[in-house]
Amino acid sequence: NGVLDFEELVLLIHLYRHTEGFTQDELEQLNSIFSSEQKVRQPGHAKELTQVARLTNILTKFFGPKYAAQANALCDELKSASYSNSGDLQFSEVLVWARRLRDDVLKGFREAFDKYDEDGSKTIDRMELRHLLADLGYTLSDMAISEMVSITKERGDWHEQDSEDELDYDAFVHFMMVLRETEGFTRPELEEIKTVFTRFDIDRSEDIDVVEVNDMLHYYGYSTTLEEVFCLLARMGYPKGSLDLPEFICFMRLRREWELRAIRDAYDAQRGEGSETLSAAQARKGFIELALQGQVLPCQWSMKSESWQPGGASASAVDLKSLPIAEQVGFEEFVRLEDANRSIRVQELRKRAGFASSEVLRYRGLFDEHDSNSDGYLNTEEF
């Protein structure tokens, strides 16, 4: 009935002491992670233990790669505490530190919510939410935001009176939890990412190393070297040079934000002062610029500038003249069209095994020149 008597309050506090406020599903997930990190039981200890040094891994696996720095800070605090001299933690102690990190996360949510509740209505609308997400490094489409709201509703984390266009603090927290899990990707996008991860996890180690990441980037149309990829992973906070699936999803979010940054720059470069949309002619110029620019990663940017540098791609991979473009194009439509253009360019690049069109023509000329009997094959001597 929404009211607690004294005995019920005592039981609730007792339950909270054992769960630290986590749900049953969350406890099972944490316990599974703890078990994978635990040590062999020590003589005289009936309970399973794990090393203090493993706390960062446990918290990062549970909360996600974006919270690795906060998890590491808590681990350092624990190492410096006088009661941690044994160097080992029970699950109940890990649970306390997980709650500490969750409290920090919720504190951050509250600060962000209050900052962007510009009108003081105790809710944030779609526009305020977009500004908040942008501040957190996310550029999400209306479709992605709507799907995340739907997922929250499916879990029962949404009150009937809550509006999809306005979120109170509780609804906002649930929304952010979904964002943490999905990194802002839609369900089909997540399935594709998981498929790509499995495809390039050649040794089935459940993580992909520098070589496999490099192969994956080539698959997406980037021309990278192993050195550049290793540098990129180090800059992202993965100095070990490999990514598990949650880290890979986070990496793909960053990769998507790099793409969107380039698209936004091209869009803004064509947009007239005071205008929020592009004409069809302006949009085509933007697409040509992006095609000529190619796909460039931060590790390939000029050290003197944070702007995108030309990647040497060919605009001829897409017939821009026949591209159906509306008379006025907003940013989301511009992104959708550029994604289609880029998909075609990448497919063409895969067909050429990563070689430029001019290189393929040169190799075709050499092949035809040495194919003396014109049968479409080179014998050993001709080769």
Side-chain angles (χ1 to χ4, degrees):
N1 61 6
V3 179
L4 297 176
D5 62 24
F6 178 73
E7 289 186 359
E8 291 171 331
L9 178 62
V10 171
L11 287 173
L12 179 63
I13 293 173
H14 177 72
L15 178 63
Y16 186 86
R17 284 178 175 173
H18 283 275
T19 65
E20 292 293 337
F22 289 102
T23 66
Q24 186 65 33
D25 289 342
E26 290 172 331
L27 287 173
E28 291 176 0
Q29 183 184 357
L30 259 172
N31 189 51
S32 175
I33 297 171
F34 173 81
S35 298
S36 69
E37 297 282 346
Q38 74 184 34
K39 293 172 53 181
V40 178
R41 291 180 180 176
Q42 294 182 352
H45 288 271
K47 295 185 177 180
E48 297 171 337
L49 302 169
T50 193
Q51 294 177 325
V52 169
R54 309 302 296 174
L55 181 63
T56 298
N57 285 354
I58 293 173
L59 296 180
T60 301
K61 286 181 179 179
F62 181 73
F63 287 95
K66 283 188 178 290
Y67 298 99
Q70 290 170 268
N72 193 54
L74 286 176
C75 188
D76 289 341
E77 180 183 339
L78 177 58
K79 289 177 182 177
S80 64
S82 59
Y83 56 81
S84 64
N85 290 334
S86 65
D88 299 312
L89 295 172
Q90 300 176 12
F91 177 69
S92 59
E93 294 171 314
V94 169
L95 205 56
V96 171
W97 289 94
R99 191 256 306 159
R100 285 277 306 275
L101 179 52
R102 185 193 58 188
D103 288 347
D104 287 345
V105 171
L106 292 177
K107 180 181 178 182
F109 288 168
R110 168 56 75 180
E111 291 174 350
F113 183 87
D114 291 342
K115 177 181 177 181
Y116 286 93
D117 179 19
E118 298 172 353
D119 55 6
S121 62
K122 305 299 182 184
T123 62
I124 57 175
D125 58 29
R126 280 289 182 106
M127 186 58 67
E128 292 169 333
L129 181 61
R130 278 188 171 279
H131 291 161
L132 186 153
L133 292 172
D135 196 31
L136 294 175
Y138 293 93
T139 308
L140 304 186
S141 65
D142 282 333
M143 182 175 65
I145 293 175
S146 296
E147 182 174 296
M148 290 169 63
V149 169
S150 297
I151 294 173
T152 308
K153 285 186 172 183
E154 289 172 7
R155 297 178 179 179
D157 293 335
W158 202 275
H159 302 299
E160 288 298 325
Q161 66 270 23
D162 289 336
S163 166
E164 288 192 15
D165 294 323
E166 290 188 343
L167 288 69
D168 64 13
Y169 178 67
D170 286 340
F172 171 71
V173 168
H174 296 312
F175 178 90
M176 294 301 290
M177 292 299 184
V178 175
L179 176 65
R180 187 187 74 183
E181 296 172 14
T182 64
E183 285 293 336
F185 290 112
T186 62
R187 283 167 169 162
E189 289 172 337
L190 278 175
E191 286 302 315
E192 180 185 353
I193 288 171
K194 291 175 182 178
T195 299
V196 170
F197 180 87
T198 302
R199 174 174 182 171
F200 287 95
D201 180 20
I202 299 172
D203 55 4
R204 298 296 179 262
S205 60
E206 297 187 354
D207 61 19
I208 54 176
D209 58 26
V210 173
V211 175
E212 293 165 334
V213 172
N214 193 43
D215 290 341
M216 180 274 298
L217 289 172
H218 289 175
Y219 176 79
Y220 278 108
Y222 295 93
S223 299
T224 54
T225 65
L226 288 176
E227 182 180 4
E228 288 171 340
V229 173
F230 193 85
C231 172
L232 176 65
L233 294 181
R235 285 179 59 179
M236 290 175 55
Y238 303 123
K240 64 180 182 179
S242 62
L243 303 171
D244 59 22
L245 181 57
E247 291 170 334
F248 181 69
I249 293 174
C250 185
F251 174 86
M252 294 299 285
R253 179 75 252 165
L254 292 173
R255 182 191 72 88
R256 180 57 175 164
E257 291 299 327
W258 299 328
E259 289 180 348
L260 290 171
R261 174 178 170 178
I263 295 173
R264 168 59 77 177
D265 287 347
Y267 182 85
D268 289 344
Q270 299 300 325
R271 185 165 52 91
E273 185 176 352
S275 175
E276 293 298 323
T277 61
L278 301 182
S279 66
Q282 290 171 325
R284 284 196 175 89
K285 288 181 180 178
F287 296 139
I288 291 173
E289 175 62 27
L290 287 166
L292 292 173
Q293 176 178 280
Q295 301 190 114
V296 186
L297 291 171
C299 57
Q300 299 169 307
W301 289 344
S302 167
M303 296 298 291
K304 297 181 180 180
S305 171
E306 284 295 308
S307 62
W308 291 75
Q309 302 298 320
S314 174
S316 61
V318 180
D319 184 6
L320 296 175
K321 292 183 179 180
S322 62
L323 189 68
I325 302 177
E327 291 184 5
Q328 294 296 319
V329 180
F331 180 66
E332 285 206 13
E333 177 65 9
F334 187 79
V335 170
R336 187 188 69 79
L337 290 170
E338 171 55 19
D339 283 343
N341 294 342
R342 183 168 297 187
S343 177
I344 295 173
R345 293 199 300 269
V346 170
Q347 289 175 11
E348 290 295 323
L349 192 62
R350 290 172 190 164
K351 290 179 182 179
R352 303 194 303 268
F355 291 107
S357 298
S358 58
E359 293 177 304
V360 174
L361 290 174
R362 184 166 66 89
Y363 295 147
R364 166 56 69 182
L366 287 171
F367 183 92
D368 292 342
E369 179 184 342
H370 291 86
D371 182 15
S372 55
N373 55 359
S374 301
D375 63 352
Y377 295 92
L378 299 180
N379 59 35
T380 305
E381 181 179 352
E382 292 171 335
F383 184 73

